[in-house]
Amino acid sequence: MSEPPHRRRAHASARDLERYGGLFAERTKVMRSSAMRDLMAITARPEVISLAGGLPDTSTFPPKSFAAQMTRIAQESSAQALQYGPTEGFEETKDCILQVMGAEGMLPEPEDVIVTTGGQQAIDLITKTLVDPGDPVICEAPTYPGAVPVFCSYQAEMIQVDCDEQGMRVDRLEEVLAGLAREGRRPKFIYSVPSFQNPAGVTLSFERRRRLVELAREHEVLVVEDNPYGLLRYEGEPLPPLFQLEGGDYVIYVGTFSKILSPGIRLGWAVAPPPVMEKIVLGKQAADLCTSTLTQYFVREYFSEGRWRDYIADLVEIYRRRRDVMLEALDKHFPAQATWTRPEGGLFIWATLPEYIDSGDLLAKALREDVAFVPGHAAYGDGRGRSSMRLNFSGVREEEIREGVRRIGKVVAEQIALYERLTGELPPAAAPQRPAAGGESADVLPFRRAGEGRG
Ligand SMILES: Cc1ncc(COP(=O)(O)O)c(C=O)c1O
């Protein structure tokens, strides 16, 4: 019998770095690891309560229904389902996408749609299509932590516009656009998650939506609307997506089945004006030829049963309860100095601690208590967000949410007690955040104080 192959080293040694260092492309110097991917390895330990992932609860999907759908595929379309497919995706998958977008009032042309390997690939392909090194890309502050490594790897200049509880400060966006115009520059796009934002949980108000698409038209700038959570609303009235308000000339839309069905199937999509779509398709051909045929067949089967809206309604019930449990637990276990958002939908709450607590350091301590969250700096390109954290409430059960928040609250209380001992002074009580360079506040979201906005 031949020897088994040697296990590869987990980390590059100094000798490895010397051997390969001269070969790396310039762009690798600015590549960043996604904070969530790093955390996933640690949080895979069963004893860890992870409030770090952006995970939907896939245990809610009935295994019997999954088995029946896959069996039907095997029996009726095995050869086709195991074959390559068109780069743009199957028409039947696009029919399902049109149903999902239709549920939020959008009606794109099927030929403007491309099926992608998750929404993440759509963000990557759009950036690959539009951004040269040094080009400005505008996004929210904080922004989706998974978009930061994409913008970095294409060497974009990330300009982050602060959010408050009504989403991106569009008045500040206007100033940024005017400033760039004075320099003779135009951003390649404005990236926004307008509904139940990842990570802050905030939603762009109707007036700001209208103003944002007006600005896009005035300045002839594209907006990339990333909307994984629009159908996961737990309270309040639905708001029109930017794509619907604008009509699709200046809005590129990104959607996904990850949060309303399954992230494991890796199916998302983009809708773009034809000239942009042509280039995105070329980029996709180079990246992976086509999206998984098998999972596109699965989605087709699943939608043909006509129960996809019922499943989302079930998810909404479960996640609404989990959000409420997390809000109650934060009230109970987080100190008076902490503040947090109260999302009307989606998967995340954004909490901010006194500025002297670094959430990266806090995470190391929290992991010793077997609990994890995403430290806030992962949502910024410039090191801000250090006293904030993203907490996920969808992926764990109610008892674990309570226990997880209790454990984080405990390490926060220890940090505060330590600060008091070291400085001999009482910490400033929920004071406004320290102004950062340029007069902006460090974490601008006017977070709700503990105890406010209950019920
Ligand atoms: C705002 C946002 N965009 C994109 C994605 C990527 O999702 P996927 O690639 O699974 O569709 C996520 C996942 O959490 C997200 O929150």
Side-chain angles (χ1 to χ4, degrees):
M1 240 167 82
S2 63
E3 286 282 302
H6 289 298
R7 186 180 282 269
R8 295 187 66 82
R9 278 181 298 277
H11 294 289
S13 67
R15 173 79 189 99
D16 283 343
L17 289 178
E18 207 177 285
R19 187 182 300 135
Y20 304 120
L23 301 173
F24 292 133
E26 266 306 297
R27 78 181 75 87
T28 62
K29 292 193 182 134
V30 287
M31 278 181 173
R32 273 176 56 158
S33 168
S34 155
M36 290 101 65
R37 298 301 104 186
D38 291 349
L39 275 171
M40 273 218 168
I42 302 168
T43 57
R45 293 195 338 244
E47 65 276 18
V48 174
I49 297 177
S50 178
L51 307 177
L55 307 187
D57 187 346
T58 44
S59 74
T60 57
F61 194 82
K64 272 196 187 141
S65 160
F66 181 44
Q69 284 138 10
M70 294 309 272
T71 305
R72 269 205 307 278
I73 293 170
Q75 285 169 346
E76 294 166 19
S77 358
S78 173
Q80 300 95 308
L82 296 175
Q83 194 50 274
Y84 291 112
T87 303
E88 295 85 346
F90 289 105
E91 289 309 314
E92 292 85 347
T93 316
K94 293 189 184 182
D95 287 345
C96 305
I97 289 168
L98 294 197
Q99 288 184 56
V100 175
M101 290 184 71
E104 285 195 83
M106 295 172 277
L107 189 62
E109 296 294 335
E111 56 272 24
D112 295 345
V113 177
I114 183 169
V115 181
T116 56
T117 304
Q120 187 70 26
Q121 188 186 43
I123 301 168
D124 185 86
L125 291 175
I126 291 163
T127 313
K128 184 182 187 178
T129 298
L130 297 170
V131 171
D132 283 318
D135 280 347
V137 164
I138 299 178
C139 58
E140 288 145 349
T143 190
Y144 165 47
V148 176
V150 180
F151 300 151
C152 287
S153 63
Y154 289 103
Q155 296 159 282
E157 181 196 339
M158 256 175 83
I159 303 174
Q160 293 192 260
V161 175
D162 294 314
C163 288
D164 62 19
E165 287 207 2
Q166 295 182 52
M168 186 194 279
R169 289 278 307 267
V170 176
D171 56 334
R172 295 228 174 130
L173 169 69
E174 207 166 339
E175 289 164 16
V176 169
L177 289 171
L180 286 170
R182 279 195 296 277
E183 295 167 12
R185 302 171 81 204
R186 201 159 61 127
K188 283 299 175 75
F189 58 84
I190 301 162
Y191 171 78
S192 172
V193 183
S195 294
F196 324 125
Q197 197 232 23
N198 179 357
V202 295
T203 293
L204 194 67
S205 68
F206 180 68
E207 289 68 30
R208 289 190 190 177
R209 285 173 193 241
R210 260 218 318 246
R211 185 67 191 132
L212 174 54
V213 298
E214 258 171 36
L215 284 173
R217 283 189 169 270
E218 273 169 31
H219 289 261
E220 299 196 337
V221 170
L222 290 168
V223 175
V224 175
E225 174 177 37
D226 187 5
N227 186 29
Y229 307 108
L231 292 173
L232 297 175
R233 177 176 274 283
Y234 315 135
E235 63 184 52
E237 288 306 309
L239 289 168
L242 303 172
F243 182 86
Q244 187 199 349
L245 280 178
E246 196 276 335
D249 290 333
Y250 286 96
V251 175
I252 298 180
Y253 185 86
V254 176
T256 180
F257 290 104
S258 285
K259 314 297 166 152
I260 56 168
L261 171 54
S262 144
I265 61 174
R266 307 305 304 126
L267 277 193
W269 66 91
V271 187
V276 181
M277 182 52 72
E278 225 172 86
K279 302 286 185 201
I280 290 177
V281 171
L282 295 177
K284 166 104 179 146
Q285 277 173 15
D288 64 354
L289 304 178
C290 66
T291 298
S292 162
T293 306
L294 182 57
T295 59
Q296 289 189 69
Y297 268 65
F298 168 65
V299 163
R300 174 200 296 193
E301 279 301 323
Y302 172 66
F303 272 69
S304 73
E305 289 182 352
R307 287 201 296 267
W308 66 274
R309 282 167 178 272
D310 298 338
Y311 180 56
I312 294 176
D314 292 346
L315 288 178
V316 163
E317 284 306 309
I318 295 167
Y319 295 164
R320 181 194 292 117
R321 275 202 307 277
R322 290 182 182 179
R323 176 203 62 170
D324 291 344
V325 165
M326 183 170 273
L327 288 169
E328 278 165 24
L330 285 164
D331 265 354
K332 188 162 171 199
H333 298 295
F334 267 38
Q337 296 93 338
T339 54
W340 53 87
T341 54
R342 189 181 194 289
E344 293 189 332
L347 311 186
F348 306 105
I349 291 174
W350 179 255
T352 298
L353 304 170
E355 67 184 47
Y356 54 83
I357 295 184
D358 181 309
S359 58
D361 295 344
L362 192 77
L363 176 63
K365 294 185 174 67
L367 285 170
R368 288 205 283 276
E369 301 285 331
D370 290 331
V371 63
F373 54 81
V374 173
H377 68 82
Y380 290 82
D382 60 5
R384 284 193 289 160
R386 293 212 165 263
S387 58
S388 297
M389 63 173 75
R390 188 191 76 176
L391 298 166
N392 167 263
F393 55 78
S394 58
V396 289
R397 292 191 310 272
E398 293 175 22
E399 320 79 83
E400 290 173 322
I401 293 174
R402 287 192 194 94
E403 177 58 16
V405 171
R406 187 193 68 75
R407 290 182 196 174
I408 299 172
K410 177 172 166 262
V411 289
V412 172
E414 285 166 5
Q415 286 297 99
I416 291 178
L418 183 66
Y419 177 89
E420 287 178 26
R421 266 206 312 282
L422 291 177
T423 61
E425 51 178 274
L426 286 176
Q433 299 292 321
R434 152 182 54 106
E440 302 268 315
S441 75
D443 291 293
V444 162
L445 272 174
F447 300 104
R448 200 174 301 275
R449 285 179 192 195
E452 284 178 9
R454 247 177 290 187

